[in-house]
């Protein structure tokens, strides 16, 4: 079987990391998988970039410009909205024509337009679409944050000026998506059971097959190593209790840094505490924390990232919305207990008081309680062992690849039946 995985980026962002790992998992389990991306960042022979053209940049800029105008020239929600009004036609590419199945992932910001997705659907090839957020099931947003309009039909969008209208941008894009899906079949996969239940509630996806499969992780790379040696390699102190916070962009409000700051203010009685921050703009938030802070910036060296996880005593992700975050999976694979809010797919990864602590949503006090419990009260070695075991049992490359192979077979059989 030849599978073409389609994603905007090769390596940047959680969806890119997950898609790349899936490609490797499939290739290690007998599937000929390639990845097609707009932003190629390596010399990997299994990753193909779109043909170089000024249109790639223009597609991105044109979509942002249209959204910017609809936002009355405000940047506030500029990157929270995608309308897929422009993108590349990949159906003429050799990699597309050679593939037995097309596997879409995160294809926004000028990678694919709704019309180019429609061409893919009409090509006759079976299509699987892994949802890394709710966008395929809504009009224009990636995070619903309590809005339930998508269960009937998107309109009066909270992201638009004046909360939109009955016939706003979210409504018109919803109609275009509905038309795109008319008489077509896509097998949707969500990375968490939580997102599966949300997507199944969407009126847009009614009648389409859907299941949940977690993202895979290479446990040969992400595993436990000596904590003190990892700290020495990174230049981190050997004698402190270290909290780790990770985000592609640390200042992203959705990642909840303000909750970590408040939680840390309630832990000042614990001696020798420190906070390690991994991600872009880390230095901008370092002085907000009451402890010694170690901003590491953006790191893309995977072996260094593994050292960073291993150097930590506890990993904290106070996000306000999450699917099935790779960062929790990575920390757990390295034997680091995790703390996160009870939201999205986080409680599916963290088993409360077994391999970490699930805090009440938006409660900095409970977040602090969870950090304190892990660092001063719990059986730390047991938590660490349970975390590693959970990853090996649920998120290993082989277990995830086998589940996707079953989905691929079902998608191909269903497409053949319809034809």
């Amino acid at each position: 079987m030849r599978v073409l995985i389609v994603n905007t980026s090769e390596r940047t962002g959680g969806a890119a990391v997950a898609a790349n790992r899936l490609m490797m998992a499939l290739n290690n389990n007998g599937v000929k998988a390639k990845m097609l991306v707009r932003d190629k960042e390596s010399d990997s022979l299994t990753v193909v970039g779109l043909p170089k053209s000024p249109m790639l940049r223009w597609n991105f800029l044109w979509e942002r410009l249209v959204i910017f105008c609809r936002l009355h020239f405000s940047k506030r929600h500029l990157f929270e909205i995608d309308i897929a009004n422009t993108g590349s036609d990949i159906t003429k590419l050799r990699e597309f024509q050679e593939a037995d199945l097309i596997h879409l992932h995160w294809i926004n910001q000028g990678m694919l337009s709704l019309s180019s997705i429609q061409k893919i659907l009409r090509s006759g090839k079976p299509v699987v679409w892994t949802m890394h957020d709710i966008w395929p099931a809504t009009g224009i947003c990636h995070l619903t944050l309590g809005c339930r309009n998508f269960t009937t039909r998107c309109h009066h969008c909270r992201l638009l000026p004046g909360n939109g209208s009955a016939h706003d941008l979210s409504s018109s894009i919803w109609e275009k998506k509905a038309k795109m899906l008319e008489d077509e079949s896509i097998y949707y996969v969500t990375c968490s059971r939580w997102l599966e239940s949300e997507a199944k509630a969407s009126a847009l996806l009614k009648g389409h097959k859907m299941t949940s499969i977690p993202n895979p992780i290479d446990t040969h790379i992400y595993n436990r190593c000596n904590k003190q040696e990892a700290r020495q390699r990174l230049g981190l102190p050997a004698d402190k209790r270290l909290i780790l916070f990770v985000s592609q962009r640390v200042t992203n409000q959705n990642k909840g840094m303000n909750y970590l700051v408040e939680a840390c203010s309630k832990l000042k009685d614990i001696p020798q505490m420190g906070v390690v921050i991994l991600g872009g703009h880390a230095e901008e938030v370092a002085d907000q924390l009451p402890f010694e802070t170690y901003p590491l910036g953006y790191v893309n060296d995977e072996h260094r990232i593994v050292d960073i996880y291993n150097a930590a005593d506890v990993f904290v992700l106070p996000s306000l919305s999450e699917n099935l975050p790779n960062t929790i999976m990575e920390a757990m694979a390295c034997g680091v207990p995790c703390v996160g809010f009870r939201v999205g797919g986080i409680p599916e990864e963290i088993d409360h008081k077994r391999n970490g602590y699930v805090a009440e949503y938006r409660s900095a006090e409970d977040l602090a309680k969870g950090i304190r419990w892990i660092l001063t009260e719990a059986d730390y070695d047991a938590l660490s062992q349970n975390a590693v075991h959970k990853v090996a049992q649920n998120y290993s490359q082989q277990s995830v690849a086998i589940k996707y192979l079953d989905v691929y077979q079902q998608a191909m059989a269903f497409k053949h039946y319809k034809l």
Side-chain angles (χ1 to χ4, degrees), residues 88-335:
S88 298
D89 178 6
I90 67 172
T91 59
K92 295 180 176 63
L93 299 179
R94 179 172 58 85
E95 289 78 16
F96 181 92
Q97 293 170 358
E98 290 177 348
D100 298 309
L101 181 141
I102 308 303
H103 189 164
L104 305 180
H105 281 255
W106 201 87
I107 46 73
N108 297 112
Q109 296 193 359
M111 175 68 185
L112 296 181
S113 65
L114 296 182
S115 60
S116 56
I117 295 172
Q118 191 168 50
K119 285 184 180 179
I120 293 169
L121 294 173
R122 290 179 177 174
S123 70
K125 294 182 184 289
V127 176
V128 172
W129 194 342
T130 292
M131 295 174 59
H132 294 277
D133 56 41
I134 197 69
W135 185 83
T138 68
I140 60 176
C141 74
H142 294 271
L143 302 173
T144 55
L145 296 178
C147 173
R148 307 307 294 172
N149 288 345
F150 72 98
T151 62
T152 52
R153 179 177 173 274
C154 283
H155 60 92
H156 287 101
C157 182
R158 63 181 177 82
L159 299 175
L160 298 173
N163 288 324
S165 67
H167 303 286
D168 60 16
L169 183 64
S170 70
S171 174
S172 63
I173 299 300
W174 174 280
E175 291 300 325
K176 289 178 181 178
K177 285 185 176 181
K179 188 174 181 181
M180 175 189 79
L181 294 172
E182 220 169 63
D183 300 321
E184 299 292 349
S185 62
I186 296 178
Y187 200 128
Y188 291 93
V189 177
T190 65
C191 302
S192 67
R193 294 189 297 276
W194 165 78
L195 186 57
E196 180 185 9
S197 67
E198 288 289 279
K200 281 182 174 177
S202 170
L204 197 60
L205 304 190
K206 203 162 283 183
H208 290 269
K209 289 181 73 74
M210 190 178 300
T211 191
S212 64
I213 302 176
N215 296 326
I217 188 170
D218 188 343
T219 51
H220 294 101
I221 295 175
Y222 288 86
N223 54 44
R224 279 186 291 187
C225 68
N226 185 281
K227 192 176 294 296
Q228 293 306 322
E229 290 177 5
R231 290 186 179 190
Q232 190 173 13
R233 286 190 290 270
L234 296 165
L236 293 172
D239 59 344
K240 285 186 179 290
R241 294 182 173 98
L242 295 180
I243 297 169
L244 175 62
F245 175 89
V246 177
S247 175
Q248 184 181 346
R249 182 168 56 87
V250 172
T251 52
N252 181 348
Q253 288 189 347
N254 186 58
K255 295 301 178 181
M257 170 55 80
N258 57 321
Y259 288 95
L260 178 59
V261 171
E262 188 179 344
C264 285
S265 70
K266 301 175 186 299
L267 299 169
K268 288 189 285 188
D269 60 303
I270 302 178
Q272 295 293 90
M273 292 282 285
V275 179
V276 178
I277 306 174
L278 173 61
H281 305 277
E283 66 287 344
E284 293 180 26
V285 299
D287 59 356
Q288 298 176 23
L289 289 146
F291 305 129
E292 189 76 29
T293 308
Y294 308 91
L296 301 181
Y298 186 81
V299 176
N300 56 16
D301 180 335
E302 201 161 34
H303 296 288
R304 183 173 170 83
I305 291 171
V306 171
D307 268 347
I308 293 168
Y309 281 118
N310 274 284
D313 293 297
V314 59
F315 174 69
V316 182
L317 186 67
S319 292
L320 304 184
S321 178
E322 283 288 354
N323 186 3
L324 197 80
N326 292 324
T327 50
I328 287 180
M329 193 184 301
E330 291 163 357
M332 289 173 64
C334 296

Side-chain angles (χ1 to χ4, degrees), residues 63-64 66-67 81-86 114 135 139-140 169 173:
E63 183 183 29
R64 289 310 109 191
V66 172
I67 295 169
I81 293 172
D82 275 295
I83 58 176
N85 63 329
T86 183
L114 296 182
W135 185 83
I140 60 176
L169 183 64
I173 299 300

Side-chain angles (χ1 to χ4, degrees), residues 339-360:
V339 181
F341 285 141
R342 189 179 301 282
V343 66
I346 289 176
E348 296 172 36
E349 290 181 292
I350 304 175
D351 300 316
H352 186 56
K353 290 195 170 183
R354 179 168 172 79
N355 52 40
Y357 189 98
V358 181
E360 291 308 309

